[in-house]
Amino acid sequence: MDSPYRSCRLFGAQRSPHDLLGGGAVADVVLWRRKEVAGRMLVAVVASWALFYCVPGYTLLSFVSQVLMILLTVLFVWAKAAQLLNRAPPPIPLMKISDESMSEAAEIVGSFINKVLKNFENIALGKDSSLFYKVAFVLLLTTIVGRLTDLITLVYTGAVIALTVPALLEKSEEHIARFFKKASIYVQACGRACKEYKCKMTNMISETKKLRWCQCVYSLENFDS
């Protein structure tokens, strides 16, 4: 069940983080409503990253290949032994994608590709300036991040952040919101103080110039007399 709305939300959001994340099973995992699943996923991500980066010469492709080779070998030997010993074959579930699922997946992928192509056309023809700036910023940010790290590390880092940061934000949402509110009030007060100080300095400089001008005029009058 969703938690009741809090009196103080981050950035003035009207909905809970669970609702913002879709309110489904993914939101439950990301916000650690299903602690066992989220914990296993986090351990698996960290362990796989440590395996691929701490063991020299071990990559994701070699790991997947070895796992599939072991799995197929065990199932093949099990099936052959079951035939010789008149035992039941290994319990392999029916692995088949229904036509309905294939149609839905194709529709989703096709809709996404058409949307991307439409946005590309709008940018290429200069119809959407704001979208161009957004895409350019994302590509520039991707270029900078790509120079600092590789894709695999970036994916692992994103997965760890997705499994930790939203849950921490939801847990400490009120404290963070209060902190940002106090910081905003402090910044606004500093801005008003700077503005008042600028006005005082401008008036002081203006009065100083007027005073100097009066002194110059008075000196010229005395000199003429």
Side-chain angles (χ1 to χ4, degrees), residues 16-35:
S16 65
H18 189 268
D19 294 334
L20 293 174
L21 292 173
V26 175
D28 292 338
V29 174
V30 171
L31 296 177
W32 287 71
R33 304 286 176 87
R34 300 182 180 181
K35 295 183 179 180

Side-chain angles (χ1 to χ4, degrees), residues 20 65 70 132 145 150 155 160:
L20 293 174
S65 299
I70 294 173
F132 166 74
V145 173
D150 58 284
V155 170
V160 172

Side-chain angles (χ1 to χ4, degrees), residues 60-192:
L60 178 62
L61 182 60
S62 61
F63 174 76
V64 173
S65 299
Q66 291 181 7
V67 169
L68 290 176
M69 181 179 64
I70 294 173
L71 178 62
L72 291 176
T73 302
V74 169
L75 293 175
F76 180 79
V77 173
W78 187 352
K80 289 297 183 182
Q83 292 177 0
L84 294 176
L85 300 175
N86 293 325
R87 300 290 179 87
I92 304 297
L94 179 61
M95 293 179 291
K96 181 181 179 181
I97 301 177
S98 63
D99 296 337
E100 182 179 356
S101 299
M102 289 291 294
S103 300
E104 292 179 358
E107 184 177 356
I108 294 173
V109 173
S111 176
F112 176 76
I113 293 176
N114 289 332
K115 185 177 180 180
V116 171
L117 294 176
K118 183 63 177 178
N119 291 333
F120 179 82
E121 180 182 357
N122 292 334
I123 293 174
L125 297 178
K127 295 181 180 180
D128 195 339
S129 300
S130 61
L131 181 61
F132 166 74
Y133 293 124
K134 292 177 183 178
V135 173
F137 175 76
V138 171
L139 293 177
L140 179 61
L141 184 62
T142 304
T143 302
I144 296 174
V145 173
R147 292 179 179 178
L148 299 176
T149 183
D150 58 284
L151 180 60
I152 300 298
T153 302
L154 183 62
V155 170
Y156 282 129
T157 304
V160 172
I161 292 175
L163 289 172
T164 54
V165 173
L168 294 176
L169 287 178
E170 185 191 37
K171 186 177 181 180
S172 306
E173 184 180 7
E174 292 186 6
H175 301 287
I176 297 174
R178 290 195 185 99
F179 171 78
F180 276 108
K181 188 175 181 179
K182 292 180 180 178
S184 177
I185 295 174
Y186 178 76
V187 170
Q188 291 177 2
C190 291
R192 288 193 297 267

